Amino acid sequence: MRYSNTSQPHIVHKVQNSTASIIMTAIATLGSHCSLQVLKGAKDEGLKTILVCEKKREKLYKRFPFIDELIMVNSFKEVLNQKCQSILEENDAVLIPHGTLIAQMSSDEIESIKTPVFGNKRILRWESNREMKEKLMREANLPIPISVSDPKDINSLVIVKRQGAAGGKGYFLAANEDDYNTKRNQLISDGIISKDETLYIQEYAAGVLAYLQFFYSPLKEELEFFGVDQRHESDIEGLARIPSEQQLKTNKVPSFNVIGNSPLVLRESLLDEVYNMGENFVKAAKKLVSPGMNGPFCIEGVYDENAKFTSFEFSARIVAGTNIYMDGSPYYTLLFNEPMSMGRRIAREVKTAVESNQLGKITT
Ligand code: AMP
């Protein structure tokens, strides 16, 4: 391997003797979230791989031989710069959006990206904005928890959320208005949320967490169910490990900060409804936000004691929970006779689109 040792931003570090791809299109993504899985999948499909890498993570990402080029940046926002976009353009790159892109850039910024973005970059606005999100979920007929517009109206256990892909950090539970105000004030004084931040209040849905991962192929016009994961969130989970006596003595507001994910398989009798929910979501997205929900997405919620699903959230792009299936998921084993990660599935779609001259159908 040969790397330039200059500290200037945007220097492309090339790996010597990187495998020549038959297809010239490259797969690019930001170095975080699920980038390893995405780029490994792209390499497995014979595509060139590019990572937009923050300098602080250079050492980490240099460990992985399937990354052909690193575009070094001080901050991910530099992906919006002309220079960075030119490098991506020279490589005919397709940018794979993930949670870090949404967390670090505004919807306007994402929509201004000139590099072709895999899937539908306009639907990412619907993921980031709570009202738009609720509208799309309603259109898809997803059973969603009731939202509470005024803290005065809290009369059952609610979860209070921040806007955007905050990853559960700063979320809290409240049982009534006083409880809401106490916890909100505490989080403001701890510097976790700001005073003028609009919080979103939603009825708490209890049950078994299930994050349903899908892929919709606009080329095949087919929905695939990929897998299910559960998120492990700190320190709400930590709370369950201490006896109630100690729980009652702590004033700390537990958060829902995602630490990692683990796999889950569903009762087979639930699968039909899972496909229906995915198909309804694809249909609703086609109606509300052209060209629709193309590529990977996730419907997130809980199953209650009657196996009834309530959905509190969706992600309109690859979720980090797919990282648990880097070698293929249980449900993709049923569809593909080869190890197929979500990253590889994305690269396969790009490859098929390039080969059939339909890249415009799978990117925006
Ligand atoms: P979200 O940002 O909406 O994905 O929420 C982050 C985490 O908060 C989820 O992974 C759940 O653990 C929890 N959560 C969110 N909404 C609800 C809800 N309505 N009922 C129960 N738990 C929720």
Side-chain angles (χ1 to χ4, degrees), residues 25-57:
T25 305
I27 296 292
T29 199
L30 306 186
S32 185
H33 194 265
C34 57
S35 62
L36 291 172
Q37 183 211 151
V38 165
L39 297 189
K40 174 65 168 61
K43 184 65 14 195
D44 289 344
E45 287 297 297
L47 302 179
K48 182 175 175 178
T49 57
I50 301 175
L51 187 82
V52 180
C53 181
E54 285 181 319
K55 290 196 175 118
K56 62 180 183 200
R57 300 233 178 117

Side-chain angles (χ1 to χ4, degrees), residues 157-207:
L157 187 63
V158 294
I159 181 163
V160 185
K161 307 184 187 190
R162 304 174 68 193
Q163 299 280 338
K169 200 158 191 202
Y171 288 18
F172 62 93
L173 300 179
N176 51 44
E177 189 188 3
D178 282 351
D179 196 19
Y180 170 91
N181 286 332
T182 311
K183 287 172 178 162
R184 180 173 169 269
N185 291 340
Q186 193 178 325
L187 290 173
I188 291 170
S189 63
D190 291 347
I192 295 172
I193 58 175
S194 67
K195 221 170 159 186
D196 47 7
E197 199 168 329
T198 312
L199 299 174
Y200 179 83
I201 309 168
Q202 189 177 61
E203 197 175 57
Y204 186 82

Side-chain angles (χ1 to χ4, degrees), residues 145 159 161 171 202-205 209 211 231 233 256 300 312-313:
I159 181 163
K161 307 184 187 190
Y171 288 18
Q202 189 177 61
E203 197 175 57
Y204 186 82
L209 293 170
Y211 301 81
R231 281 182 203 158
E233 294 157 333
F256 288 75
E300 300 150 19
F312 46 72
E313 178 76 272

